[in-house]
mmCIF file of all heavy atoms in Angstrom:
data_model
loop_
_atom_site.group_PDB
_atom_site.id
_atom_site.type_symbol
_atom_site.label_atom_id
_atom_site.label_comp_id
_atom_site.label_asym_id
_atom_site.label_seq_id
_atom_site.Cartn_x
_atom_site.Cartn_y
_atom_site.Cartn_z
ATOM 1 N N GLU I 204 -118.918 39.371 48.800
ATOM 2 C CA GLU I 204 -117.839 39.315 47.806
ATOM 3 C C GLU I 204 -117.816 37.952 47.120
ATOM 4 O O GLU I 204 -117.640 37.855 45.908
ATOM 5 C CB GLU I 204 -116.483 39.561 48.478
ATOM 6 C CG GLU I 204 -116.245 41.020 48.876
ATOM 7 C CD GLU I 204 -114.993 41.166 49.717
ATOM 8 O OE1 GLU I 204 -114.031 40.397 49.502
ATOM 9 O OE2 GLU I 204 -114.975 42.036 50.601
ATOM 10 N N GLU I 205 -118.001 36.903 47.901
ATOM 11 C CA GLU I 205 -118.010 35.554 47.333
ATOM 12 C C GLU I 205 -119.174 35.381 46.365
ATOM 13 O O GLU I 205 -119.042 34.731 45.318
ATOM 14 C CB GLU I 205 -118.096 34.513 48.458
ATOM 15 C CG GLU I 205 -117.900 33.078 48.001
ATOM 16 C CD GLU I 205 -116.497 32.793 47.493
ATOM 17 O OE1 GLU I 205 -115.582 33.619 47.720
ATOM 18 O OE2 GLU I 205 -116.316 31.742 46.858
ATOM 19 N N SER I 206 -120.314 35.987 46.694
ATOM 20 C CA SER I 206 -121.476 35.888 45.796
ATOM 21 C C SER I 206 -121.201 36.599 44.484
ATOM 22 O O SER I 206 -121.597 36.118 43.412
ATOM 23 C CB SER I 206 -122.712 36.475 46.477
ATOM 24 O OG SER I 206 -122.612 37.884 46.590
ATOM 25 N N VAL I 207 -120.513 37.746 44.548
ATOM 26 C CA VAL I 207 -120.179 38.477 43.317
ATOM 27 C C VAL I 207 -119.232 37.648 42.461
ATOM 28 O O VAL I 207 -119.375 37.584 41.235
ATOM 29 C CB VAL I 207 -119.553 39.851 43.640
ATOM 30 C CG1 VAL I 207 -119.030 40.514 42.375
ATOM 31 C CG2 VAL I 207 -120.585 40.755 44.297
ATOM 32 N N ARG I 208 -118.267 36.996 43.096
ATOM 33 C CA ARG I 208 -117.345 36.139 42.331
ATOM 34 C C ARG I 208 -118.106 35.005 41.655
ATOM 35 O O ARG I 208 -117.788 34.608 40.535
ATOM 36 C CB ARG I 208 -116.261 35.573 43.250
ATOM 37 C CG ARG I 208 -115.287 36.630 43.750
ATOM 38 C CD ARG I 208 -114.103 35.999 44.481
ATOM 39 N NE ARG I 208 -113.385 37.038 45.210
ATOM 40 C CZ ARG I 208 -113.544 37.292 46.501
ATOM 41 N NH1 ARG I 208 -114.388 36.576 47.210
ATOM 42 N NH2 ARG I 208 -112.865 38.257 47.088
ATOM 43 N N ALA I 209 -119.118 34.478 42.371
ATOM 44 C CA ALA I 209 -119.929 33.401 41.780
ATOM 45 C C ALA I 209 -120.707 33.898 40.569
ATOM 46 O O ALA I 209 -120.936 33.159 39.608
ATOM 47 C CB ALA I 209 -120.887 32.843 42.829
ATOM 48 N N LEU I 210 -121.107 35.174 40.611
ATOM 49 C CA LEU I 210 -121.878 35.756 39.509
ATOM 50 C C LEU I 210 -120.989 36.333 38.414
ATOM 51 O O LEU I 210 -121.458 36.612 37.317
ATOM 52 C CB LEU I 210 -122.783 36.877 40.044
ATOM 53 C CG LEU I 210 -123.893 36.458 41.004
ATOM 54 C CD1 LEU I 210 -124.519 37.691 41.637
ATOM 55 C CD2 LEU I 210 -124.953 35.646 40.276
ATOM 56 N N TYR I 211 -119.698 36.503 38.721
ATOM 57 C CA TYR I 211 -118.797 37.194 37.796
ATOM 58 C C TYR I 211 -118.670 36.416 36.491
ATOM 59 O O TYR I 211 -118.538 35.206 36.473
ATOM 60 C CB TYR I 211 -117.418 37.358 38.433
ATOM 61 C CG TYR I 211 -116.680 38.578 37.929
ATOM 62 C CD1 TYR I 211 -117.073 39.839 38.332
ATOM 63 C CD2 TYR I 211 -115.614 38.469 37.058
ATOM 64 C CE1 TYR I 211 -116.412 40.971 37.892
ATOM 65 C CE2 TYR I 211 -114.952 39.589 36.602
ATOM 66 C CZ TYR I 211 -115.350 40.835 37.033
ATOM 67 O OH TYR I 211 -114.697 41.957 36.576
ATOM 68 N N GLY I 212 -118.736 37.141 35.393
ATOM 69 C CA GLY I 212 -118.573 36.515 34.089
ATOM 70 C C GLY I 212 -119.858 35.946 33.515
ATOM 71 O O GLY I 212 -119.864 35.365 32.440
ATOM 72 N N ASN I 213 -120.984 36.114 34.226
ATOM 73 C CA ASN I 213 -122.255 35.669 33.646
ATOM 74 C C ASN I 213 -123.191 36.866 33.507
ATOM 75 O O ASN I 213 -122.794 38.002 33.694
ATOM 76 C CB ASN I 213 -122.878 34.544 34.486
ATOM 77 C CG ASN I 213 -123.148 34.970 35.915
ATOM 78 O OD1 ASN I 213 -123.570 36.090 36.168
ATOM 79 N ND2 ASN I 213 -122.893 34.079 36.868
ATOM 80 N N SER I 214 -124.426 36.598 33.177
ATOM 81 C CA SER I 214 -125.346 37.678 32.800
ATOM 82 C C SER I 214 -126.158 38.257 33.957
ATOM 83 O O SER I 214 -127.042 39.078 33.730
ATOM 84 C CB SER I 214 -126.327 37.154 31.736
ATOM 85 O OG SER I 214 -127.049 36.037 32.227
ATOM 86 N N PHE I 215 -125.862 37.859 35.190
ATOM 87 C CA PHE I 215 -126.670 38.336 36.320
ATOM 88 C C PHE I 215 -126.220 39.725 36.756
ATOM 89 O O PHE I 215 -125.798 39.940 37.901
ATOM 90 C CB PHE I 215 -126.577 37.346 37.486
ATOM 91 C CG PHE I 215 -127.141 35.992 37.178
ATOM 92 C CD1 PHE I 215 -126.304 34.929 36.885
ATOM 93 C CD2 PHE I 215 -128.505 35.785 37.159
ATOM 94 C CE1 PHE I 215 -126.810 33.678 36.602
ATOM 95 C CE2 PHE I 215 -129.040 34.535 36.873
ATOM 96 C CZ PHE I 215 -128.181 33.481 36.591
ATOM 97 N N ASN I 216 -126.330 40.692 35.859
ATOM 98 C CA ASN I 216 -125.815 42.026 36.136
ATOM 99 C C ASN I 216 -126.566 42.744 37.249
ATOM 100 O O ASN I 216 -125.956 43.443 38.064
ATOM 101 C CB ASN I 216 -125.844 42.880 34.865
ATOM 102 C CG ASN I 216 -124.675 42.559 33.959
ATOM 103 O OD1 ASN I 216 -123.649 42.057 34.411
ATOM 104 N ND2 ASN I 216 -124.816 42.832 32.688
ATOM 105 N N ASP I 217 -127.889 42.602 37.298
ATOM 106 C CA ASP I 217 -128.676 43.307 38.308
ATOM 107 C C ASP I 217 -128.295 42.843 39.712
ATOM 108 O O ASP I 217 -128.096 43.665 40.617
ATOM 109 C CB ASP I 217 -130.176 43.082 38.078
ATOM 110 C CG ASP I 217 -130.665 43.792 36.824
ATOM 111 O OD1 ASP I 217 -129.952 44.704 36.364
ATOM 112 O OD2 ASP I 217 -131.729 43.431 36.313
ATOM 113 N N GLU I 218 -128.201 41.497 39.884
ATOM 114 C CA GLU I 218 -127.819 40.974 41.187
ATOM 115 C C GLU I 218 -126.401 41.412 41.550
ATOM 116 O O GLU I 218 -126.114 41.798 42.676
ATOM 117 C CB GLU I 218 -127.901 39.443 41.192
ATOM 118 C CG GLU I 218 -129.316 38.904 41.087
ATOM 119 C CD GLU I 218 -129.713 38.596 39.650
ATOM 120 O OE1 GLU I 218 -129.204 39.291 38.743
ATOM 121 O OE2 GLU I 218 -130.522 37.686 39.454
ATOM 122 N N LYS I 219 -125.526 41.365 40.552
ATOM 123 C CA LYS I 219 -124.118 41.666 40.790
ATOM 124 C C LYS I 219 -123.941 43.089 41.308
ATOM 125 O O LYS I 219 -123.215 43.329 42.280
ATOM 126 C CB LYS I 219 -123.342 41.466 39.478
ATOM 127 C CG LYS I 219 -121.849 41.488 39.629
ATOM 128 C CD LYS I 219 -121.168 40.820 38.433
ATOM 129 C CE LYS I 219 -121.547 41.451 37.107
ATOM 130 N NZ LYS I 219 -120.885 40.778 35.983
ATOM 131 N N ILE I 220 -124.589 44.056 40.680
ATOM 132 C CA ILE I 220 -124.400 45.454 41.082
ATOM 133 C C ILE I 220 -125.027 45.712 42.452
ATOM 134 O O ILE I 220 -124.500 46.508 43.240
ATOM 135 C CB ILE I 220 -124.953 46.430 40.016
ATOM 136 C CG1 ILE I 220 -124.408 47.844 40.301
ATOM 137 C CG2 ILE I 220 -126.462 46.422 39.962
ATOM 138 C CD1 ILE I 220 -124.658 48.824 39.183
ATOM 139 N N VAL I 221 -126.114 45.019 42.780
ATOM 140 C CA VAL I 221 -126.723 45.174 44.108
ATOM 141 C C VAL I 221 -125.735 44.720 45.185
ATOM 142 O O VAL I 221 -125.504 45.426 46.179
ATOM 143 C CB VAL I 221 -128.037 44.371 44.212
ATOM 144 C CG1 VAL I 221 -128.507 44.294 45.665
ATOM 145 C CG2 VAL I 221 -129.111 45.024 43.352
ATOM 146 N N TYR I 222 -125.132 43.547 44.996
ATOM 147 C CA TYR I 222 -124.186 43.038 45.990
ATOM 148 C C TYR I 222 -122.952 43.926 46.077
ATOM 149 O O TYR I 222 -122.420 44.164 47.169
ATOM 150 C CB TYR I 222 -123.785 41.598 45.653
ATOM 151 C CG TYR I 222 -124.926 40.616 45.760
ATOM 152 C CD1 TYR I 222 -125.163 39.677 44.761
ATOM 153 C CD2 TYR I 222 -125.776 40.625 46.863
ATOM 154 C CE1 TYR I 222 -126.212 38.769 44.846
ATOM 155 C CE2 TYR I 222 -126.834 39.733 46.962
ATOM 156 C CZ TYR I 222 -127.047 38.805 45.947
ATOM 157 O OH TYR I 222 -128.091 37.922 46.043
ATOM 158 N N LEU I 223 -122.480 44.426 44.946
ATOM 159 C CA LEU I 223 -121.303 45.306 44.964
ATOM 160 C C LEU I 223 -121.593 46.584 45.746
ATOM 161 O O LEU I 223 -120.758 47.063 46.516
ATOM 162 C CB LEU I 223 -120.870 45.636 43.536
ATOM 163 C CG LEU I 223 -120.134 44.519 42.796
ATOM 164 C CD1 LEU I 223 -120.009 44.851 41.309
ATOM 165 C CD2 LEU I 223 -118.752 44.281 43.396
ATOM 166 N N ARG I 224 -122.772 47.143 45.549
ATOM 167 C CA ARG I 224 -123.141 48.354 46.292
ATOM 168 C C ARG I 224 -123.255 48.057 47.792
ATOM 169 O O ARG I 224 -122.886 48.884 48.634
ATOM 170 C CB ARG I 224 -124.467 48.911 45.754
ATOM 171 C CG ARG I 224 -124.380 49.523 44.364
ATOM 172 C CD ARG I 224 -123.442 50.703 44.339
ATOM 173 N NE ARG I 224 -123.478 51.433 43.070
ATOM 174 C CZ ARG I 224 -122.623 52.368 42.727
ATOM 175 N NH1 ARG I 224 -121.643 52.708 43.555
ATOM 176 N NH2 ARG I 224 -122.720 52.980 41.571
ATOM 177 N N MET I 225 -123.781 46.885 48.125
ATOM 178 C CA MET I 225 -123.886 46.505 49.544
ATOM 179 C C MET I 225 -122.495 46.348 50.158
ATOM 180 O O MET I 225 -122.250 46.780 51.286
ATOM 181 C CB MET I 225 -124.678 45.200 49.668
ATOM 182 C CG MET I 225 -126.161 45.354 49.351
ATOM 183 S SD MET I 225 -127.007 43.766 49.201
ATOM 184 C CE MET I 225 -127.036 43.235 50.901
ATOM 185 N N ILE I 226 -121.575 45.732 49.403
ATOM 186 C CA ILE I 226 -120.200 45.565 49.893
ATOM 187 C C ILE I 226 -119.573 46.924 50.172
ATOM 188 O O ILE I 226 -118.964 47.152 51.224
ATOM 189 C CB ILE I 226 -119.348 44.793 48.866
ATOM 190 C CG1 ILE I 226 -119.823 43.345 48.737
ATOM 191 C CG2 ILE I 226 -117.860 44.816 49.256
ATOM 192 C CD1 ILE I 226 -119.284 42.637 47.507
ATOM 193 N N LEU I 227 -119.728 47.855 49.224
ATOM 194 C CA LEU I 227 -119.104 49.170 49.363
ATOM 195 C C LEU I 227 -119.782 50.016 50.445
ATOM 196 O O LEU I 227 -119.193 50.948 50.970
ATOM 197 C CB LEU I 227 -119.107 49.901 48.019
ATOM 198 C CG LEU I 227 -118.166 49.280 46.977
ATOM 199 C CD1 LEU I 227 -118.385 49.882 45.602
ATOM 200 C CD2 LEU I 227 -116.705 49.441 47.401
ATOM 201 N N SER I 228 -121.013 49.664 50.788
ATOM 202 C CA SER I 228 -121.675 50.312 51.924
ATOM 203 C C SER I 228 -121.062 49.826 53.230
ATOM 204 O O SER I 228 -120.845 50.597 54.161
ATOM 205 C CB SER I 228 -123.171 50.003 51.905
ATOM 206 O OG SER I 228 -123.798 50.529 53.051
ATOM 207 N N LEU I 229 -120.743 48.511 53.276
ATOM 208 C CA LEU I 229 -120.145 47.928 54.478
ATOM 209 C C LEU I 229 -118.652 48.233 54.569
ATOM 210 O O LEU I 229 -118.106 48.448 55.652
ATOM 211 C CB LEU I 229 -120.345 46.406 54.466
ATOM 212 C CG LEU I 229 -121.790 45.917 54.621
ATOM 213 C CD1 LEU I 229 -121.897 44.452 54.246
ATOM 214 C CD2 LEU I 229 -122.267 46.133 56.056
ATOM 215 N N LYS I 230 -117.981 48.212 53.405
ATOM 216 C CA LYS I 230 -116.532 48.469 53.352
ATOM 217 C C LYS I 230 -116.257 49.475 52.228
ATOM 218 O O LYS I 230 -115.931 49.098 51.108
ATOM 219 C CB LYS I 230 -115.763 47.176 53.088
ATOM 220 C CG LYS I 230 -115.715 46.230 54.259
ATOM 221 C CD LYS I 230 -114.586 45.206 54.130
ATOM 222 C CE LYS I 230 -114.724 44.316 52.945
ATOM 223 N NZ LYS I 230 -113.694 43.254 52.888
ATOM 224 N N PRO I 231 -116.397 50.766 52.516
ATOM 225 C CA PRO I 231 -116.268 51.795 51.457
ATOM 226 C C PRO I 231 -114.930 51.776 50.727
ATOM 227 O O PRO I 231 -114.848 52.212 49.580
ATOM 228 C CB PRO I 231 -116.453 53.115 52.226
ATOM 229 C CG PRO I 231 -117.202 52.736 53.462
ATOM 230 C CD PRO I 231 -116.726 51.368 53.823
ATOM 231 N N ASN I 232 -113.889 51.281 51.368
ATOM 232 C CA ASN I 232 -112.559 51.288 50.752
ATOM 233 C C ASN I 232 -112.156 49.926 50.186
ATOM 234 O O ASN I 232 -110.976 49.637 50.040
ATOM 235 C CB ASN I 232 -111.512 51.757 51.760
ATOM 236 C CG ASN I 232 -111.729 53.199 52.170
ATOM 237 O OD1 ASN I 232 -112.048 54.048 51.332
ATOM 238 N ND2 ASN I 232 -111.592 53.479 53.454
ATOM 239 N N ASN I 233 -113.143 49.101 49.864
ATOM 240 C CA ASN I 233 -112.854 47.788 49.282
ATOM 241 C C ASN I 233 -112.544 47.963 47.790
ATOM 242 O O ASN I 233 -113.436 47.992 46.954
ATOM 243 C CB ASN I 233 -114.054 46.856 49.474
ATOM 244 C CG ASN I 233 -113.760 45.443 49.035
ATOM 245 O OD1 ASN I 233 -113.142 45.218 48.004
ATOM 246 N ND2 ASN I 233 -114.204 44.485 49.815
ATOM 247 N N ASP I 234 -111.279 48.092 47.479
ATOM 248 C CA ASP I 234 -110.890 48.421 46.105
ATOM 249 C C ASP I 234 -111.071 47.255 45.147
ATOM 250 O O ASP I 234 -111.269 47.463 43.945
ATOM 251 C CB ASP I 234 -109.438 48.903 46.081
ATOM 252 C CG ASP I 234 -109.287 50.261 46.757
ATOM 253 O OD1 ASP I 234 -110.264 51.032 46.736
ATOM 254 O OD2 ASP I 234 -108.220 50.542 47.312
ATOM 255 N N GLU I 235 -111.013 46.023 45.649
ATOM 256 C CA GLU I 235 -111.280 44.876 44.785
ATOM 257 C C GLU I 235 -112.706 44.951 44.247
ATOM 258 O O GLU I 235 -112.960 44.715 43.067
ATOM 259 C CB GLU I 235 -111.067 43.573 45.552
ATOM 260 C CG GLU I 235 -111.218 42.335 44.680
ATOM 261 C CD GLU I 235 -111.070 41.041 45.450
ATOM 262 O OE1 GLU I 235 -111.119 41.074 46.704
ATOM 263 O OE2 GLU I 235 -110.918 39.994 44.814
ATOM 264 N N SER I 236 -113.649 45.322 45.125
ATOM 265 C CA SER I 236 -115.048 45.453 44.695
ATOM 266 C C SER I 236 -115.228 46.657 43.774
ATOM 267 O O SER I 236 -116.054 46.632 42.859
ATOM 268 C CB SER I 236 -115.968 45.571 45.911
ATOM 269 O OG SER I 236 -115.970 44.357 46.641
ATOM 270 N N LYS I 237 -114.455 47.715 44.021
ATOM 271 C CA LYS I 237 -114.516 48.880 43.122
ATOM 272 C C LYS I 237 -114.089 48.490 41.705
ATOM 273 O O LYS I 237 -114.697 48.928 40.723
ATOM 274 C CB LYS I 237 -113.618 50.002 43.639
ATOM 275 C CG LYS I 237 -114.170 50.748 44.848
ATOM 276 C CD LYS I 237 -113.238 51.886 45.228
ATOM 277 C CE LYS I 237 -113.752 52.653 46.440
ATOM 278 N NZ LYS I 237 -112.850 53.769 46.811
ATOM 279 N N ILE I 238 -113.048 47.662 41.617
ATOM 280 C CA ILE I 238 -112.586 47.195 40.300
ATOM 281 C C ILE I 238 -113.691 46.411 39.605
ATOM 282 O O ILE I 238 -113.961 46.601 38.415
ATOM 283 C CB ILE I 238 -111.322 46.315 40.444
ATOM 284 C CG1 ILE I 238 -110.119 47.138 40.933
ATOM 285 C CG2 ILE I 238 -111.000 45.614 39.124
ATOM 286 C CD1 ILE I 238 -109.480 48.022 39.900
ATOM 287 N N MET I 239 -114.371 45.542 40.363
ATOM 288 C CA MET I 239 -115.452 44.740 39.778
ATOM 289 C C MET I 239 -116.629 45.626 39.373
ATOM 290 O O MET I 239 -117.276 45.385 38.351
ATOM 291 C CB MET I 239 -115.892 43.644 40.747
ATOM 292 C CG MET I 239 -114.885 42.509 40.857
ATOM 293 S SD MET I 239 -115.508 41.045 41.714
ATOM 294 C CE MET I 239 -115.352 41.550 43.421
ATOM 295 N N LEU I 240 -116.912 46.663 40.177
ATOM 296 C CA LEU I 240 -117.996 47.584 39.839
ATOM 297 C C LEU I 240 -117.654 48.368 38.568
ATOM 298 O O LEU I 240 -118.511 48.552 37.687
ATOM 299 C CB LEU I 240 -118.259 48.540 40.996
ATOM 300 C CG LEU I 240 -119.422 49.525 40.824
ATOM 301 C CD1 LEU I 240 -120.736 48.782 40.596
ATOM 302 C CD2 LEU I 240 -119.533 50.446 42.039
ATOM 303 N N ALA I 241 -116.406 48.805 38.462
ATOM 304 C CA ALA I 241 -115.975 49.514 37.256
ATOM 305 C C ALA I 241 -116.083 48.607 36.033
ATOM 306 O O ALA I 241 -116.508 49.040 34.953
ATOM 307 C CB ALA I 241 -114.536 50.005 37.425
ATOM 308 N N THR I 242 -115.740 47.333 36.218
ATOM 309 C CA THR I 242 -115.852 46.363 35.124
ATOM 310 C C THR I 242 -117.307 46.199 34.687
ATOM 311 O O THR I 242 -117.602 46.068 33.496
ATOM 312 C CB THR I 242 -115.275 45.005 35.550
ATOM 313 O OG1 THR I 242 -113.920 45.174 35.949
ATOM 314 C CG2 THR I 242 -115.329 44.006 34.402
ATOM 315 N N TYR I 243 -118.213 46.228 35.671
ATOM 316 C CA TYR I 243 -119.648 46.150 35.358
ATOM 317 C C TYR I 243 -120.051 47.299 34.435
ATOM 318 O O TYR I 243 -120.751 47.104 33.438
ATOM 319 C CB TYR I 243 -120.462 46.192 36.649
ATOM 320 C CG TYR I 243 -121.927 46.507 36.441
ATOM 321 C CD1 TYR I 243 -122.828 45.504 36.101
ATOM 322 C CD2 TYR I 243 -122.404 47.816 36.560
ATOM 323 C CE1 TYR I 243 -124.171 45.794 35.887
ATOM 324 C CE2 TYR I 243 -123.746 48.107 36.360
ATOM 325 C CZ TYR I 243 -124.617 47.100 36.016
ATOM 326 O OH TYR I 243 -125.941 47.381 35.803
ATOM 327 N N TYR I 244 -119.591 48.514 34.755
ATOM 328 C CA TYR I 244 -119.934 49.668 33.920
ATOM 329 C C TYR I 244 -119.270 49.575 32.543
ATOM 330 O O TYR I 244 -119.855 49.996 31.538
ATOM 331 C CB TYR I 244 -119.549 50.964 34.628
ATOM 332 C CG TYR I 244 -120.503 51.321 35.748
ATOM 333 C CD1 TYR I 244 -120.060 51.469 37.056
ATOM 334 C CD2 TYR I 244 -121.861 51.500 35.493
ATOM 335 C CE1 TYR I 244 -120.936 51.780 38.085
ATOM 336 C CE2 TYR I 244 -122.747 51.813 36.511
ATOM 337 C CZ TYR I 244 -122.277 51.950 37.805
ATOM 338 O OH TYR I 244 -123.158 52.249 38.810
ATOM 339 N N GLU I 245 -118.066 49.014 32.494
ATOM 340 C CA GLU I 245 -117.406 48.818 31.190
ATOM 341 C C GLU I 245 -118.209 47.857 30.323
ATOM 342 O O GLU I 245 -118.386 48.086 29.124
ATOM 343 C CB GLU I 245 -115.989 48.288 31.396
ATOM 344 C CG GLU I 245 -115.024 49.328 31.930
ATOM 345 C CD GLU I 245 -113.697 48.752 32.365
ATOM 346 O OE1 GLU I 245 -113.642 47.535 32.678
ATOM 347 O OE2 GLU I 245 -112.712 49.504 32.404
ATOM 348 N N GLU I 246 -118.702 46.773 30.938
ATOM 349 C CA GLU I 246 -119.515 45.804 30.197
ATOM 350 C C GLU I 246 -120.767 46.455 29.632
ATOM 351 O O GLU I 246 -121.276 46.045 28.587
ATOM 352 C CB GLU I 246 -119.911 44.644 31.116
ATOM 353 C CG GLU I 246 -118.750 43.726 31.486
ATOM 354 C CD GLU I 246 -119.127 42.723 32.563
ATOM 355 O OE1 GLU I 246 -120.262 42.807 33.086
ATOM 356 O OE2 GLU I 246 -118.291 41.860 32.883
#
């Protein structure tokens, strides 16, 4: 999650989505990460 925050708002989209998917694999109900993943798709 901390790595995604570090990447948030910059162009590292590939890395960002990989980490978000890993987070949701470890914590399927992590809604903060779901919000960030949805934002990725909006971008």
Side-chain angles (χ1 to χ4, degrees):
E204 286 171 33
E205 189 67 14
S206 70
V207 172
R208 291 189 194 98
L210 295 169
Y211 209 73
N213 59 39
S214 58
F215 296 102
N216 281 337
D217 290 342
E218 292 94 329
K219 191 160 57 181
I220 195 169
V221 168
Y222 294 134
L223 284 168
R224 290 298 188 191
M225 290 169 72
I226 293 165
L227 291 170
S228 175
L229 292 166
K230 287 199 298 185
N232 295 319
N233 186 318
D234 291 331
E235 185 183 14
S236 293
K237 285 183 180 180
I238 293 284
M239 287 192 281
L240 183 59
T242 303
Y243 164 84
Y244 285 121
E245 287 170 337
E246 289 171 355

